[in-house]
Amino acid sequence: MKPEEWVALFAAELGADAPSEEEFNAILDLAAVAAHSSERTAAPVAAWLAGRSGRSLDEVQGIADGVAKS
C-alpha cells in the first residue's frame, strides 16, 4: 500500500480529511528537518506538535528551520 493510500484510510477512520498532495509534501519536509537536525524519532513528534499547534504548515516549517539552525 502506498503511503498516500494508508494516510487516506487512516484519515477516514479518524473522521478527518486526508492532507492534499501539497500538504503531504510539506509534512514530509517538516519531518525531514526534524529527523536530520536531531534523531529520526523527532520527526513524528514534531509532526504531532505541529498538528496540535493549530499553526499553518508554512509557519511550523519556518519554526523548524529556525530550530535546526540553532
Short mmCIF file of all heavy atoms in Angstrom, two decimals:
data_model
loop_
_atom_site.label_atom_id
_atom_site.label_comp_id
_atom_site.label_asym_id
_atom_site.label_seq_id
_atom_site.Cartn_x
_atom_site.Cartn_y
_atom_site.Cartn_z
N MET A 1 0.85 -1.18 0.00
CA MET A 1 0.00 0.00 0.00
C MET A 1 0.90 1.24 0.00
O MET A 1 1.85 1.31 0.77
CB MET A 1 -0.89 -0.02 1.24
CG MET A 1 -1.81 1.15 1.34
SD MET A 1 -2.89 1.16 2.81
CE MET A 1 -3.76 -0.38 2.66
N LYS A 2 0.58 2.17 -0.86
CA LYS A 2 1.34 3.42 -0.93
C LYS A 2 1.05 4.27 0.31
O LYS A 2 -0.04 4.20 0.88
CB LYS A 2 0.98 4.19 -2.19
CG LYS A 2 1.40 3.51 -3.46
CD LYS A 2 1.03 4.34 -4.65
CE LYS A 2 1.45 3.63 -5.92
NZ LYS A 2 1.09 4.42 -7.10
N PRO A 3 2.03 5.11 0.73
CA PRO A 3 1.83 5.93 1.93
C PRO A 3 0.58 6.82 1.83
O PRO A 3 -0.16 6.97 2.81
CB PRO A 3 3.09 6.78 2.02
CG PRO A 3 4.10 6.12 1.17
CD PRO A 3 3.36 5.31 0.16
N GLU A 4 0.35 7.39 0.66
CA GLU A 4 -0.81 8.27 0.49
C GLU A 4 -2.12 7.51 0.70
O GLU A 4 -3.07 8.03 1.27
CB GLU A 4 -0.80 8.93 -0.89
CG GLU A 4 0.38 9.84 -1.14
CD GLU A 4 1.63 9.13 -1.62
OE1 GLU A 4 1.66 7.88 -1.71
OE2 GLU A 4 2.62 9.82 -1.90
N GLU A 5 -2.14 6.25 0.24
CA GLU A 5 -3.33 5.41 0.43
C GLU A 5 -3.54 5.09 1.90
O GLU A 5 -4.67 5.14 2.40
CB GLU A 5 -3.20 4.12 -0.38
CG GLU A 5 -3.18 4.32 -1.87
CD GLU A 5 -2.78 3.07 -2.64
OE1 GLU A 5 -2.00 2.24 -2.11
OE2 GLU A 5 -3.25 2.93 -3.77
N TRP A 6 -2.45 4.76 2.59
CA TRP A 6 -2.55 4.44 4.00
C TRP A 6 -3.06 5.65 4.79
O TRP A 6 -3.95 5.53 5.63
CB TRP A 6 -1.19 3.98 4.56
CG TRP A 6 -1.30 3.44 5.94
CD1 TRP A 6 -1.45 2.13 6.29
CD2 TRP A 6 -1.28 4.18 7.17
NE1 TRP A 6 -1.53 2.02 7.66
CE2 TRP A 6 -1.43 3.27 8.23
CE3 TRP A 6 -1.16 5.53 7.48
CZ2 TRP A 6 -1.45 3.64 9.56
CZ3 TRP A 6 -1.18 5.91 8.82
CH2 TRP A 6 -1.32 4.98 9.84
N VAL A 7 -2.50 6.81 4.48
CA VAL A 7 -2.91 8.04 5.17
C VAL A 7 -4.37 8.35 4.89
O VAL A 7 -5.11 8.74 5.81
CB VAL A 7 -1.99 9.22 4.79
CG1 VAL A 7 -2.56 10.55 5.27
CG2 VAL A 7 -0.59 9.00 5.35
N ALA A 8 -4.81 8.16 3.66
CA ALA A 8 -6.22 8.41 3.33
C ALA A 8 -7.14 7.49 4.12
O ALA A 8 -8.18 7.93 4.64
CB ALA A 8 -6.44 8.24 1.83
N LEU A 9 -6.79 6.22 4.22
CA LEU A 9 -7.60 5.29 5.00
C LEU A 9 -7.58 5.63 6.49
O LEU A 9 -8.60 5.59 7.17
CB LEU A 9 -7.11 3.85 4.79
CG LEU A 9 -7.38 3.25 3.42
CD1 LEU A 9 -6.67 1.91 3.27
CD2 LEU A 9 -8.87 3.09 3.19
N PHE A 10 -6.41 5.98 6.99
CA PHE A 10 -6.28 6.36 8.40
C PHE A 10 -7.11 7.60 8.69
O PHE A 10 -7.83 7.66 9.68
CB PHE A 10 -4.80 6.60 8.72
CG PHE A 10 -4.51 6.89 10.16
CD1 PHE A 10 -4.82 5.98 11.16
CD2 PHE A 10 -3.90 8.09 10.53
CE1 PHE A 10 -4.54 6.25 12.49
CE2 PHE A 10 -3.61 8.37 11.86
CZ PHE A 10 -3.94 7.44 12.84
N ALA A 11 -7.02 8.59 7.80
CA ALA A 11 -7.80 9.82 7.97
C ALA A 11 -9.29 9.51 7.98
O ALA A 11 -10.04 10.04 8.81
CB ALA A 11 -7.46 10.82 6.86
N ALA A 12 -9.73 8.66 7.08
CA ALA A 12 -11.15 8.30 7.02
C ALA A 12 -11.60 7.64 8.32
O ALA A 12 -12.69 7.93 8.85
CB ALA A 12 -11.41 7.38 5.83
N GLU A 13 -10.78 6.75 8.85
CA GLU A 13 -11.11 6.08 10.11
C GLU A 13 -11.17 7.08 11.28
O GLU A 13 -11.93 6.90 12.22
CB GLU A 13 -10.12 4.96 10.42
CG GLU A 13 -10.26 3.77 9.52
CD GLU A 13 -11.57 3.03 9.70
OE1 GLU A 13 -12.04 2.88 10.85
OE2 GLU A 13 -12.16 2.61 8.68
N LEU A 14 -10.33 8.12 11.20
CA LEU A 14 -10.33 9.15 12.24
C LEU A 14 -11.47 10.15 12.06
O LEU A 14 -11.73 10.96 12.95
CB LEU A 14 -9.00 9.92 12.22
CG LEU A 14 -7.76 9.18 12.66
CD1 LEU A 14 -6.53 10.03 12.43
CD2 LEU A 14 -7.86 8.78 14.13
N GLY A 15 -12.11 10.12 10.89
CA GLY A 15 -13.14 11.11 10.59
C GLY A 15 -12.54 12.45 10.24
O GLY A 15 -13.13 13.50 10.47
N ALA A 16 -11.35 12.43 9.65
CA ALA A 16 -10.63 13.65 9.30
C ALA A 16 -10.37 13.65 7.80
O ALA A 16 -10.44 12.62 7.13
CB ALA A 16 -9.30 13.72 10.05
N ASP A 17 -10.06 14.83 7.28
CA ASP A 17 -9.68 14.95 5.87
C ASP A 17 -8.22 14.55 5.71
O ASP A 17 -7.38 14.95 6.53
CB ASP A 17 -9.86 16.39 5.38
CG ASP A 17 -11.31 16.83 5.36
OD1 ASP A 17 -12.19 15.97 5.15
OD2 ASP A 17 -11.56 18.03 5.54
N ALA A 18 -7.93 13.80 4.67
CA ALA A 18 -6.54 13.48 4.35
C ALA A 18 -5.87 14.75 3.82
O ALA A 18 -6.54 15.61 3.25
CB ALA A 18 -6.48 12.37 3.31
N PRO A 19 -4.57 14.89 4.02
CA PRO A 19 -3.88 16.07 3.50
C PRO A 19 -3.87 16.07 1.97
O PRO A 19 -3.85 15.01 1.34
CB PRO A 19 -2.47 15.93 4.06
CG PRO A 19 -2.29 14.49 4.35
CD PRO A 19 -3.65 13.96 4.69
N SER A 20 -3.86 17.26 1.42
CA SER A 20 -3.69 17.40 -0.03
C SER A 20 -2.27 16.96 -0.38
O SER A 20 -1.43 16.77 0.51
CB SER A 20 -3.90 18.86 -0.45
OG SER A 20 -2.85 19.67 0.08
N GLU A 21 -1.99 16.84 -1.66
CA GLU A 21 -0.63 16.48 -2.09
C GLU A 21 0.38 17.51 -1.60
O GLU A 21 1.46 17.17 -1.13
CB GLU A 21 -0.57 16.34 -3.60
CG GLU A 21 0.78 15.87 -4.11
CD GLU A 21 0.83 15.68 -5.61
OE1 GLU A 21 -0.23 15.63 -6.25
OE2 GLU A 21 1.95 15.58 -6.14
N GLU A 22 0.01 18.79 -1.70
CA GLU A 22 0.89 19.87 -1.23
C GLU A 22 1.11 19.77 0.28
O GLU A 22 2.25 19.90 0.76
CB GLU A 22 0.29 21.22 -1.59
CG GLU A 22 1.15 22.40 -1.19
CD GLU A 22 0.53 23.72 -1.61
OE1 GLU A 22 0.57 24.04 -2.81
OE2 GLU A 22 -0.01 24.41 -0.71
N GLU A 23 0.05 19.53 1.03
CA GLU A 23 0.18 19.40 2.48
C GLU A 23 1.00 18.16 2.84
O GLU A 23 1.84 18.21 3.75
CB GLU A 23 -1.21 19.30 3.13
CG GLU A 23 -2.00 20.58 3.06
CD GLU A 23 -3.46 20.40 3.44
OE1 GLU A 23 -4.04 19.33 3.16
OE2 GLU A 23 -4.01 21.35 4.01
N PHE A 24 0.77 17.07 2.13
CA PHE A 24 1.51 15.83 2.36
C PHE A 24 3.01 16.08 2.22
O PHE A 24 3.81 15.71 3.08
CB PHE A 24 1.04 14.76 1.37
CG PHE A 24 1.46 13.36 1.70
CD1 PHE A 24 0.66 12.54 2.47
CD2 PHE A 24 2.66 12.85 1.23
CE1 PHE A 24 1.04 11.23 2.77
CE2 PHE A 24 3.05 11.55 1.52
CZ PHE A 24 2.24 10.74 2.29
N ASN A 25 3.38 16.77 1.14
CA ASN A 25 4.79 17.08 0.91
C ASN A 25 5.35 18.03 1.96
O ASN A 25 6.50 17.89 2.38
CB ASN A 25 4.99 17.63 -0.50
CG ASN A 25 4.78 16.56 -1.56
OD1 ASN A 25 5.05 15.39 -1.34
ND2 ASN A 25 4.26 16.96 -2.70
N ALA A 26 4.56 19.00 2.39
CA ALA A 26 5.01 19.94 3.43
C ALA A 26 5.24 19.22 4.75
O ALA A 26 6.20 19.51 5.47
CB ALA A 26 3.99 21.07 3.60
N ILE A 27 4.37 18.27 5.06
CA ILE A 27 4.54 17.49 6.29
C ILE A 27 5.82 16.67 6.22
O ILE A 27 6.58 16.58 7.20
CB ILE A 27 3.32 16.59 6.53
CG1 ILE A 27 2.08 17.45 6.81
CG2 ILE A 27 3.56 15.60 7.66
CD1 ILE A 27 0.76 16.72 6.66
N LEU A 28 6.09 16.08 5.05
CA LEU A 28 7.32 15.31 4.89
C LEU A 28 8.55 16.21 4.99
O LEU A 28 9.58 15.80 5.56
CB LEU A 28 7.32 14.57 3.55
CG LEU A 28 6.28 13.45 3.43
CD1 LEU A 28 6.35 12.83 2.04
CD2 LEU A 28 6.45 12.40 4.51
N ASP A 29 8.46 17.43 4.47
CA ASP A 29 9.57 18.38 4.59
C ASP A 29 9.83 18.72 6.06
O ASP A 29 10.99 18.77 6.49
CB ASP A 29 9.28 19.66 3.81
CG ASP A 29 9.33 19.47 2.31
OD1 ASP A 29 9.86 18.44 1.84
OD2 ASP A 29 8.81 20.36 1.60
N LEU A 30 8.77 18.94 6.81
CA LEU A 30 8.91 19.21 8.25
C LEU A 30 9.57 18.03 8.95
O LEU A 30 10.51 18.21 9.74
CB LEU A 30 7.53 19.50 8.87
CG LEU A 30 7.49 19.57 10.40
CD1 LEU A 30 8.32 20.73 10.91
CD2 LEU A 30 6.05 19.68 10.86
N ALA A 31 9.11 16.83 8.66
CA ALA A 31 9.69 15.64 9.27
C ALA A 31 11.16 15.49 8.91
O ALA A 31 11.98 15.09 9.76
CB ALA A 31 8.90 14.40 8.84
N ALA A 32 11.52 15.83 7.68
CA ALA A 32 12.92 15.73 7.26
C ALA A 32 13.81 16.67 8.05
O ALA A 32 14.90 16.29 8.47
CB ALA A 32 13.04 16.01 5.76
N VAL A 33 13.34 17.90 8.27
CA VAL A 33 14.13 18.85 9.06
C VAL A 33 14.33 18.31 10.47
O VAL A 33 15.45 18.32 11.00
CB VAL A 33 13.45 20.25 9.10
CG1 VAL A 33 14.12 21.15 10.11
CG2 VAL A 33 13.48 20.89 7.73
N ALA A 34 13.26 17.84 11.07
CA ALA A 34 13.37 17.31 12.44
C ALA A 34 14.29 16.10 12.50
O ALA A 34 15.13 16.00 13.41
CB ALA A 34 11.98 16.94 12.97
N ALA A 35 14.15 15.20 11.55
CA ALA A 35 14.95 13.97 11.57
C ALA A 35 16.42 14.22 11.28
O ALA A 35 17.28 13.54 11.84
CB ALA A 35 14.39 12.98 10.55
N HIS A 36 16.71 15.19 10.41
CA HIS A 36 18.09 15.41 10.03
C HIS A 36 18.85 16.35 10.96
O HIS A 36 20.08 16.37 10.95
CB HIS A 36 18.18 15.90 8.58
CG HIS A 36 17.77 14.85 7.61
ND1 HIS A 36 16.66 14.97 6.82
CD2 HIS A 36 18.30 13.64 7.32
CE1 HIS A 36 16.53 13.88 6.07
NE2 HIS A 36 17.52 13.05 6.36
N SER A 37 18.12 17.13 11.75
CA SER A 37 18.83 18.02 12.67
C SER A 37 18.83 17.47 14.10
O SER A 37 19.39 18.09 15.00
CB SER A 37 18.20 19.43 12.64
OG SER A 37 16.86 19.39 13.06
N SER A 38 18.23 16.32 14.31
CA SER A 38 18.21 15.66 15.61
C SER A 38 18.31 14.16 15.34
O SER A 38 19.15 13.73 14.56
CB SER A 38 16.92 16.03 16.35
OG SER A 38 16.87 15.38 17.60
N GLU A 39 17.43 13.41 15.96
CA GLU A 39 17.32 11.99 15.69
C GLU A 39 16.02 11.75 14.94
O GLU A 39 15.10 12.57 14.99
CB GLU A 39 17.31 11.19 17.00
CG GLU A 39 18.63 11.28 17.74
CD GLU A 39 18.64 10.41 19.00
OE1 GLU A 39 17.87 9.45 19.08
OE2 GLU A 39 19.44 10.72 19.88
N ARG A 40 15.92 10.62 14.26
CA ARG A 40 14.71 10.33 13.48
C ARG A 40 13.45 10.36 14.34
O ARG A 40 12.39 10.70 13.84
CB ARG A 40 14.82 8.97 12.81
CG ARG A 40 15.69 9.02 11.59
CD ARG A 40 15.39 7.88 10.70
NE ARG A 40 16.43 6.87 10.79
CZ ARG A 40 16.38 5.70 10.25
NH1 ARG A 40 15.32 5.34 9.58
NH2 ARG A 40 17.37 4.87 10.35
N THR A 41 13.57 10.02 15.60
CA THR A 41 12.39 9.99 16.46
C THR A 41 11.78 11.38 16.64
O THR A 41 10.61 11.49 17.02
CB THR A 41 12.71 9.39 17.84
OG1 THR A 41 13.81 10.12 18.40
CG2 THR A 41 13.06 7.92 17.73
N ALA A 42 12.52 12.42 16.35
CA ALA A 42 11.98 13.78 16.47
C ALA A 42 10.94 14.06 15.39
O ALA A 42 10.06 14.90 15.59
CB ALA A 42 13.11 14.81 16.40
N ALA A 43 11.01 13.38 14.27
CA ALA A 43 10.12 13.67 13.15
C ALA A 43 8.64 13.43 13.47
O ALA A 43 7.82 14.33 13.26
CB ALA A 43 10.53 12.87 11.92
N PRO A 44 8.25 12.25 13.96
CA PRO A 44 6.83 12.07 14.24
C PRO A 44 6.33 12.96 15.38
O PRO A 44 5.19 13.44 15.36
CB PRO A 44 6.69 10.59 14.59
CG PRO A 44 8.05 10.12 14.92
CD PRO A 44 9.01 11.02 14.18
N VAL A 45 7.18 13.22 16.34
CA VAL A 45 6.78 14.09 17.44
C VAL A 45 6.62 15.53 16.96
O VAL A 45 5.68 16.23 17.34
CB VAL A 45 7.77 13.99 18.63
CG1 VAL A 45 7.39 14.92 19.74
CG2 VAL A 45 7.84 12.55 19.13
N ALA A 46 7.51 15.97 16.08
CA ALA A 46 7.39 17.31 15.50
C ALA A 46 6.09 17.44 14.71
O ALA A 46 5.40 18.46 14.80
CB ALA A 46 8.60 17.62 14.62
N ALA A 47 5.75 16.41 13.94
CA ALA A 47 4.50 16.44 13.18
C ALA A 47 3.29 16.49 14.11
O ALA A 47 2.33 17.23 13.87
CB ALA A 47 4.41 15.23 12.25
N TRP A 48 3.34 15.73 15.18
CA TRP A 48 2.25 15.73 16.17
C TRP A 48 2.12 17.12 16.81
O TRP A 48 1.02 17.65 16.93
CB TRP A 48 2.52 14.66 17.22
CG TRP A 48 1.48 14.54 18.27
CD1 TRP A 48 0.28 13.88 18.16
CD2 TRP A 48 1.54 15.05 19.60
NE1 TRP A 48 -0.39 13.97 19.35
CE2 TRP A 48 0.35 14.68 20.25
CE3 TRP A 48 2.48 15.79 20.31
CZ2 TRP A 48 0.09 15.03 21.57
CZ3 TRP A 48 2.22 16.12 21.62
CH2 TRP A 48 1.04 15.75 22.23
N LEU A 49 3.25 17.70 17.21
CA LEU A 49 3.22 19.03 17.81
C LEU A 49 2.71 20.07 16.82
O LEU A 49 1.93 20.97 17.20
CB LEU A 49 4.62 19.43 18.28
CG LEU A 49 5.11 18.74 19.55
CD1 LEU A 49 6.60 19.00 19.75
CD2 LEU A 49 4.32 19.22 20.75
N ALA A 50 3.13 19.97 15.57
CA ALA A 50 2.66 20.90 14.55
C ALA A 50 1.14 20.83 14.42
O ALA A 50 0.46 21.86 14.35
CB ALA A 50 3.33 20.60 13.21
N GLY A 51 0.62 19.63 14.40
CA GLY A 51 -0.83 19.45 14.31
C GLY A 51 -1.57 20.02 15.50
O GLY A 51 -2.63 20.64 15.35
N ARG A 52 -1.03 19.84 16.66
CA ARG A 52 -1.67 20.36 17.88
C ARG A 52 -1.57 21.87 17.99
O ARG A 52 -2.38 22.49 18.66
CB ARG A 52 -1.04 19.72 19.12
CG ARG A 52 -1.46 18.28 19.29
CD ARG A 52 -1.00 17.72 20.60
NE ARG A 52 -1.33 18.61 21.71
CZ ARG A 52 -1.91 18.23 22.83
NH1 ARG A 52 -2.23 16.98 22.99
NH2 ARG A 52 -2.14 19.08 23.80
N SER A 53 -0.57 22.45 17.33
CA SER A 53 -0.33 23.88 17.50
C SER A 53 -1.39 24.74 16.82
O SER A 53 -1.57 25.90 17.19
CB SER A 53 1.05 24.26 16.94
OG SER A 53 1.04 24.27 15.52
N GLY A 54 -2.03 24.20 15.79
CA GLY A 54 -3.02 24.97 15.06
C GLY A 54 -2.41 25.98 14.09
O GLY A 54 -3.11 26.77 13.48
N ARG A 55 -1.09 25.96 13.93
CA ARG A 55 -0.41 26.88 13.02
C ARG A 55 -0.36 26.28 11.62
O ARG A 55 -0.49 25.07 11.44
CB ARG A 55 1.01 27.14 13.51
CG ARG A 55 1.04 27.84 14.86
CD ARG A 55 2.46 27.96 15.36
NE ARG A 55 2.48 28.48 16.72
CZ ARG A 55 3.25 29.49 17.09
NH1 ARG A 55 4.06 30.07 16.24
NH2 ARG A 55 3.24 29.89 18.34
N SER A 56 -0.14 27.14 10.63
CA SER A 56 -0.06 26.66 9.25
C SER A 56 1.21 25.86 9.04
O SER A 56 2.20 26.01 9.78
CB SER A 56 -0.08 27.85 8.29
OG SER A 56 1.15 28.55 8.34
N LEU A 57 1.21 25.04 7.99
CA LEU A 57 2.41 24.26 7.68
C LEU A 57 3.58 25.16 7.34
O LEU A 57 4.72 24.87 7.71
CB LEU A 57 2.12 23.30 6.52
CG LEU A 57 1.29 22.06 6.90
CD1 LEU A 57 0.83 21.33 5.65
CD2 LEU A 57 2.11 21.14 7.79
N ASP A 58 3.31 26.27 6.64
CA ASP A 58 4.39 27.21 6.33
C ASP A 58 5.01 27.78 7.61
O ASP A 58 6.23 27.91 7.72
CB ASP A 58 3.89 28.35 5.46
CG ASP A 58 3.63 27.93 4.02
OD1 ASP A 58 4.20 26.92 3.58
OD2 ASP A 58 2.86 28.63 3.35
N GLU A 59 4.15 28.12 8.56
CA GLU A 59 4.65 28.70 9.80
C GLU A 59 5.47 27.69 10.60
O GLU A 59 6.56 28.01 11.08
CB GLU A 59 3.47 29.22 10.64
CG GLU A 59 3.92 30.01 11.85
CD GLU A 59 2.75 30.63 12.61
OE1 GLU A 59 1.58 30.45 12.21
OE2 GLU A 59 3.03 31.30 13.62
N VAL A 60 4.97 26.46 10.73
CA VAL A 60 5.73 25.48 11.51
C VAL A 60 7.02 25.08 10.79
O VAL A 60 8.02 24.79 11.45
CB VAL A 60 4.90 24.23 11.90
CG1 VAL A 60 3.77 24.60 12.83
CG2 VAL A 60 4.39 23.46 10.72
N GLN A 61 7.01 25.12 9.46
CA GLN A 61 8.25 24.83 8.73
C GLN A 61 9.30 25.90 9.04
O GLN A 61 10.46 25.58 9.27
CB GLN A 61 8.00 24.77 7.22
CG GLN A 61 9.23 24.41 6.41
CD GLN A 61 9.70 22.99 6.65
OE1 GLN A 61 8.89 22.07 6.64
NE2 GLN A 61 10.98 22.80 6.87
N GLY A 62 8.88 27.16 9.08
CA GLY A 62 9.80 28.23 9.41
C GLY A 62 10.36 28.08 10.82
O GLY A 62 11.55 28.31 11.05
N ILE A 63 9.50 27.70 11.74
CA ILE A 63 9.95 27.48 13.12
C ILE A 63 10.94 26.32 13.18
O ILE A 63 11.99 26.41 13.82
CB ILE A 63 8.75 27.26 14.05
CG1 ILE A 63 7.91 28.54 14.16
CG2 ILE A 63 9.20 26.78 15.43
CD1 ILE A 63 6.55 28.37 14.81
N ALA A 64 10.61 25.22 12.48
CA ALA A 64 11.51 24.06 12.46
C ALA A 64 12.85 24.41 11.84
O ALA A 64 13.91 23.98 12.35
CB ALA A 64 10.84 22.91 11.71
N ASP A 65 12.84 25.18 10.77
CA ASP A 65 14.09 25.59 10.14
C ASP A 65 14.93 26.42 11.10
O ASP A 65 16.15 26.26 11.18
CB ASP A 65 13.83 26.39 8.86
CG ASP A 65 13.29 25.54 7.73
OD1 ASP A 65 13.46 24.30 7.76
OD2 ASP A 65 12.68 26.13 6.80
N GLY A 66 14.27 27.30 11.88
CA GLY A 66 14.98 28.09 12.86
C GLY A 66 15.58 27.26 13.96
O GLY A 66 16.73 27.49 14.38
N VAL A 67 14.84 26.27 14.43
CA VAL A 67 15.36 25.37 15.48
C VAL A 67 16.54 24.58 14.93
O VAL A 67 17.54 24.38 15.63
CB VAL A 67 14.24 24.44 15.99
CG1 VAL A 67 14.79 23.34 16.89
CG2 VAL A 67 13.17 25.23 16.74
N ALA A 68 16.43 24.13 13.69
CA ALA A 68 17.51 23.34 13.09
C ALA A 68 18.81 24.14 12.98
O ALA A 68 19.90 23.57 13.07
CB ALA A 68 17.09 22.84 11.71
N LYS A 69 18.69 25.45 12.79
CA LYS A 69 19.88 26.30 12.65
C LYS A 69 20.53 26.62 13.99
O LYS A 69 21.68 27.04 14.03
CB LYS A 69 19.52 27.60 11.94
CG LYS A 69 19.18 27.39 10.48
CD LYS A 69 18.75 28.69 9.83
CE LYS A 69 18.32 28.43 8.39
NZ LYS A 69 17.77 29.63 7.78
N SER A 70 19.79 26.41 15.08
CA SER A 70 20.35 26.76 16.39
C SER A 70 21.22 25.67 16.96
O SER A 70 21.33 24.61 16.50
CB SER A 70 19.23 27.10 17.37
OG SER A 70 18.37 25.99 17.57
#
